Amino acid sequence: MKNYFMKFVNKLTNIGGSLQTPIAILPAAGLLLALGTIFTNPAFVEMIPFAQNQTFANIFGVLLSTGNIIFANLPLIFAAGVAIGLTNNDGVAALSAIVGYLIMNVTIGGTMGITAEMVAESNMYVEILGIPTIQTGVLGGIIIGVLASAVFNKFHDVELPQALSFFAGKRCVPIITAFASLFLGFLMILIWPPIQVGINNLSNFIVNLNPGFSGFMFGFIERLTIPFGMNHVWWPTFWLQAGEYVNKAGQLVVGDQLIFFSQLSDGVPITAGNFMNGLFVLKIFSMPAVALAMYHTANKEQRGKVYGILVSAAITSLVAGVTEPLEFLFIFTAPALFLVYAVVTGLGFAVMNLLGAHLGLSFSGGLLDFLFFNLLTSRTHWWLLIPVGLAFAAINYFLFRFAILKFDLKTPGRTKESEKKTLSSRVYDGNQITNIIQALGGKANIKNVNACYSRLRVDVENAEMVDKDIFAAELEASGVSVLGKNIQIIYGNKAVGIKEAVLAKLRGEEAAAVVEAAPVQAKAGDPEKLLTIVSPATGRLVPLGEVPDEVFASKAMGDGFAVDPQDSIIYAPVSGKVTGIFPTKHAISLLDNAGNEVLLHIGLDTVNLEGEGFRLQVAEGDVVHQNEVLAELDTETIKAKGYSLMTLVIFTNLDKERYQVQLKKDLVKAGEGNLLKL
């Protein structure tokens, strides 16, 4: 019975993690909606004389419409996104989910005889892409996404007789999903109406509770689910399903978050936000205060070592709203403190709700959400956050300071050096991704790899083969959570990138045996020789801190610079040896003749292209000369798929404490030197 329960929990956890794929589009949609709302607000436009013309109104009217179209079609987006998230980013699964979602709704609408008149008369019905059907909301899209992923995982490598071989493998997945969705449609006709009534009654009950109590329970339980990764299952129920609002178009909108944006678009008073208010208190004020308390209670001789970790985690919470890197520093070392912390978080929700703040967010409740959707729109009682946030920052600071000192909790900087040694008997080399795979028990032990905003989520065959201690000790993780055979490793904003790298490494091992080089101890190069570096492409130089990628901008991988290329050729910025090529061809490691390690990362998030659009002219082990062609890019393909060509030059073994890269030029040609100073 226990095994079945753990499998069920693991499945829910994976589904929760897969929701991050479609949710990632909400910030963009919300930003478009917010800009459109702000700049079409007559009161705001009156303050900007140059904006009082029809062209300006048309442009921002389009932004408002583009934001609305995404929110109007979220069920379809979630269907494709969940399918992608549960199949390691396979596009066939997404296509199958789209097909399945359309077929399910056509089946429901046609069998029940739902008409446009019925849609206009009852909130139980809705029109989706011209199809009259029952209102299943985002949950209907999630169900189809799970179905399509299950079909894909079961049949993507199926073999058929010679006469039917064209339909073998992945090509059979959309076909099987289509028929499965047909039967699901018939099933939904029977089971969904009572489920819908139950969801509506439950959400109405919760929403109509005292706002202080309902907010407290939401915030308290949402934090308690963090150690198990179940928070991604908890909050979508409220953000996407709880509450009802009929918009100006007469459509029923459900879900606290979706209601907020609909009311923002309609220009009516904001009543939503009871399940979002407290997150701003937590992420902008409380978490930085917790980090400060940990720093002040660290041993003086270790404060320098933990300073970077705590500051980085605090900024991640403040700006991006990701709290796990900090929380996993005390969840397991001080579970009682974590329980009290969850209670205080719930009280933050309660206070903000009782004061009637009605704040809203698109992503996670950080500073960006506060700025764009509350402060600039002037539609919420945003000023309430400041006194409440400061009060809860003080409460959390003194609470954590007292508890850490009173009970001698082993938070960062309070562990004796002798206690830091890993119990692992395995030998690890200098390659982080290879080490992660080895620590997970090796390729044969890994069943599935996924990630959310801050966690690498891995299903394994045998959890006892996982070397849990090594992740925090040697592999830069904030913590590890084991839930049955589901391993969750906390990497903060680097989690998604690490997931892609692990998958790429696994694919490379399947294509050909990978022979690991003997471990090489990293050595410092000669920084002065970096002054002779040349631009790898023609374009505009960009300081690393301005690169729209948090990992690179934070200089977590090293200092350097970027160039936004205007052509399709990438040249060697230094002379030296090619020490590594990423399996997806988007990254090349060089070791120059002075011992400086130079990482050339072509494009942002281009790991997702899996090599498409890249034609390399060098191989690992080659000796190259400065200005030699390294790669030719299919710029049209890369741009058409929505990826930036911005190319980064990272000095991975440059001492960031002693040297800082400063650019001397703006526009450069390929091969042009005198670019920077240290």
Side-chain angles (χ1 to χ4, degrees):
M1 180 63 70
K2 182 179 179 181
N3 288 336
Y4 284 114
F5 174 74
M6 294 307 301
K7 287 181 179 179
F8 173 72
V9 172
N10 288 340
K11 188 63 177 177
L12 278 182
T13 300
N14 288 335
I15 293 173
S18 73
L19 295 179
Q20 307 312 306
T21 303
I23 285 172
I25 200 173
L26 294 184
L31 181 58
L32 291 169
L33 187 63
L35 290 174
T37 301
I38 293 167
F39 288 97
T40 56
N41 185 328
F44 185 84
V45 173
E46 285 181 6
M47 297 185 295
I48 312 176
F50 70 85
Q52 298 174 16
N53 61 77
Q54 191 59 45
T55 301
F56 191 92
N58 289 344
I59 291 173
F60 285 97
V62 168
L63 294 185
L64 185 62
S65 299
T66 54
N68 279 328
I69 197 66
I70 293 175
F71 283 102
N73 291 285
L74 274 184
L76 182 63
I77 293 171
F78 268 76
V82 168
I84 289 174
L86 291 174
T87 57
N88 289 336
N89 299 341
D90 199 286
V92 173
L95 173 63
S96 302
I98 293 172
V99 171
Y101 185 74
L102 296 175
I103 289 177
M104 180 188 75
N105 283 295
V106 167
T107 302
I108 293 171
T111 304
M112 295 181 67
I114 301 173
T115 63
E117 291 74 19
M118 295 170 65
V119 173
E121 294 173 0
S122 174
N123 292 333
M124 295 286 287
Y125 306 114
V126 68
E127 190 170 87
I128 298 174
L129 299 176
I131 306 169
T133 184
I134 59 176
Q135 172 70 273
T136 59
V138 170
L139 188 57
I142 293 173
I143 292 172
I144 280 291
V146 173
L147 173 67
S149 68
V151 172
F152 177 89
N153 291 331
K154 180 72 174 178
F155 297 105
H156 73 278
D157 55 357
V158 69
E159 297 181 2
L160 296 175
Q162 184 65 31
L164 300 174
S165 60
F166 177 80
F167 299 103
K170 293 183 179 181
R171 288 177 178 169
C172 75
V173 174
I175 300 172
I176 298 173
T177 303
F179 283 100
S181 300
L182 178 69
F183 289 109
L184 177 61
F186 291 133
L187 182 63
M188 292 288 277
I189 292 171
L190 300 175
I191 67 172
W192 186 258
I195 292 176
Q196 186 175 32
V197 171
I199 291 175
N200 291 341
N201 291 340
L202 177 62
S203 64
N204 288 331
F205 171 75
I206 294 173
V207 170
N208 292 326
L209 285 174
N210 176 281
F213 179 73
S214 62
F216 171 79
M217 291 305 298
F218 172 82
F220 173 62
I221 296 174
E222 195 267 344
R223 287 296 101 180
L224 288 185
T225 59
I226 289 283
F228 311 104
M230 296 293 288
N231 55 317
H232 298 305
V233 178
W234 174 253
W235 57 256
T237 306
F238 295 87
W239 288 10
L240 306 178
Q241 291 293 145
E244 293 182 357
Y245 166 70
V246 178
N247 63 17
K248 284 188 175 180
Q251 300 169 320
L252 176 67
V253 180
V254 295
D256 197 42
Q257 185 185 54
L258 305 185
I259 292 172
F260 174 84
F261 281 108
S262 185
Q263 291 176 335
L264 192 67
S265 175
D266 287 348
V268 301
I270 304 292
T271 60
N274 283 353
F275 304 113
M276 297 181 283
N277 284 323
L279 290 178
F280 291 96
V281 176
L282 170 70
K283 299 181 178 186
I284 296 178
F285 290 93
S286 295
M287 294 312 294
V290 168
L292 183 62
M294 289 183 179
Y295 177 76
H296 283 165
T297 54
N299 298 328
K300 289 184 179 181
E301 64 274 12
Q302 295 184 40
R303 285 182 181 176
K305 296 181 180 179
V306 303
Y307 176 82
I309 297 173
L310 293 175
V311 169
S312 174
I315 292 175
T316 299
S317 174
L318 176 68
V319 178
V322 178
T323 59
E324 281 92 338
L326 262 177
E327 288 168 326
F328 273 82
L329 295 176
F330 65 90
I331 283 178
F332 299 111
T333 58
L337 178 60
F338 180 72
L339 179 63
V340 176
Y341 156 81
V343 172
V344 174
T345 299
L347 290 174
F349 275 87
V351 172
M352 291 292 283
N353 288 358
L354 291 173
L355 291 175
H358 299 299
L359 305 183
L361 53 89
S362 70
F363 173 59
S364 60
L367 200 59
L368 295 179
D369 273 326
F370 176 71
L371 175 65
F372 283 108
F373 308 120
N374 299 279
L375 180 61
L376 291 180
T377 61
S378 297
R379 296 284 305 287
T380 65
H381 300 155
W382 58 266
W383 57 87
L384 293 172
L385 176 64
I386 298 173
V388 175
L390 289 173
F392 274 85
I395 291 171
N396 277 283
Y397 174 81
F398 289 110
L399 170 66
F400 272 76
R401 185 184 178 95
F402 170 78
I404 291 170
L405 294 176
K406 176 69 175 177
F407 302 105
D408 191 24
L409 302 178
K410 301 302 182 183
T411 49
R414 294 180 58 82
T415 305
K416 296 179 180 179
E417 292 296 328
S418 59
E419 295 175 349
K420 292 182 177 181
K421 295 181 181 179
T422 175
L423 299 178
S424 172
S425 60
R426 298 176 186 172
V427 177
Y428 295 91
D429 63 15
N431 186 298
Q432 185 191 34
I433 302 305
T434 303
N435 290 344
I436 288 174
I437 294 173
Q438 184 176 352
L440 289 166
K443 177 184 173 184
N445 197 43
I446 297 173
K447 295 174 59 180
N448 182 62
V449 182
N450 210 330
C452 63
Y453 300 130
S454 58
R455 309 162 192 243
L456 182 68
R457 299 167 179 259
V458 184
D459 292 328
V460 297
E461 291 283 356
N462 185 354
E464 293 182 358
M465 293 180 62
V466 177
D467 186 356
K468 299 186 290 294
D469 295 333
I470 195 69
F471 287 103
E474 302 290 342
L475 300 180
E476 302 177 5
S478 298
V480 177
S481 176
V482 179
L483 192 63
K485 295 183 178 181
N486 181 257
I487 313 299
Q488 300 179 15
I489 310 157
I490 316 306
Y491 275 113
N493 289 338
K494 296 187 292 183
V496 175
I498 290 175
K499 165 210 164 185
E500 298 293 350
V502 169
L503 288 174
K505 191 71 173 178
L506 293 174
R507 286 192 297 268
E509 290 177 350
E510 290 174 357
V514 177
V515 179
E516 298 290 352
V520 177
Q521 184 68 30
K523 297 181 180 178
D526 182 358
E528 295 301 322
K529 296 297 183 182
L530 292 175
L531 298 178
T532 64
I533 198 168
V534 300
S535 176
T538 298
R540 181 175 63 89
L541 292 183
V542 180
L544 200 60
E546 298 178 12
V547 172
D549 183 289
E550 291 188 24
V551 174
F552 288 117
S554 68
K555 303 181 182 180
M557 297 181 66
D559 206 344
F561 64 93
V563 57
D564 199 359
Q566 297 177 355
D567 51 32
S568 60
I569 306 296
I570 301 297
Y571 299 89
V574 296
S575 295
K577 184 178 181 180
V578 179
T579 57
I581 294 178
F582 208 74
T584 49
K585 303 179 183 180
H586 74 291
I588 302 172
S589 297
L590 302 171
L591 182 67
D592 75 5
N593 296 330
N596 298 301
E597 296 174 358
V598 180
L599 171 66
L600 198 66
H601 191 285
I602 307 171
L604 300 178
D605 294 326
T606 44
V607 64
N608 298 325
L609 292 173
E610 299 184 355
E612 184 180 3
F614 297 89
R615 188 162 59 252
L616 300 186
Q617 302 299 315
V618 294
E620 187 170 344
D622 286 356
V623 174
V624 297
H625 300 285
Q626 198 171 54
N627 291 322
E628 183 177 336
V629 175
L630 297 181
E632 297 178 4
L633 311 179
D634 185 345
T635 57
E636 293 185 2
T637 296
I638 296 173
K639 289 181 178 179
K641 292 183 178 293
Y643 294 96
S644 167
L645 291 171
M646 186 173 289
T647 297
L648 300 104
V649 180
I650 310 295
F651 310 132
T652 56
N653 66 338
L654 178 67
D655 187 346
K656 292 184 292 184
E657 300 296 327
R658 296 181 57 192
Y659 299 98
Q660 183 178 5
V661 175
Q662 296 180 352
L663 296 178
K664 298 167 62 176
K665 296 183 177 180
D666 184 17
L667 298 176
V668 295
K669 294 182 179 180
E672 185 174 341
N674 195 26
L675 306 180
L676 52 86
K677 60 181 180 179
L678 297 175

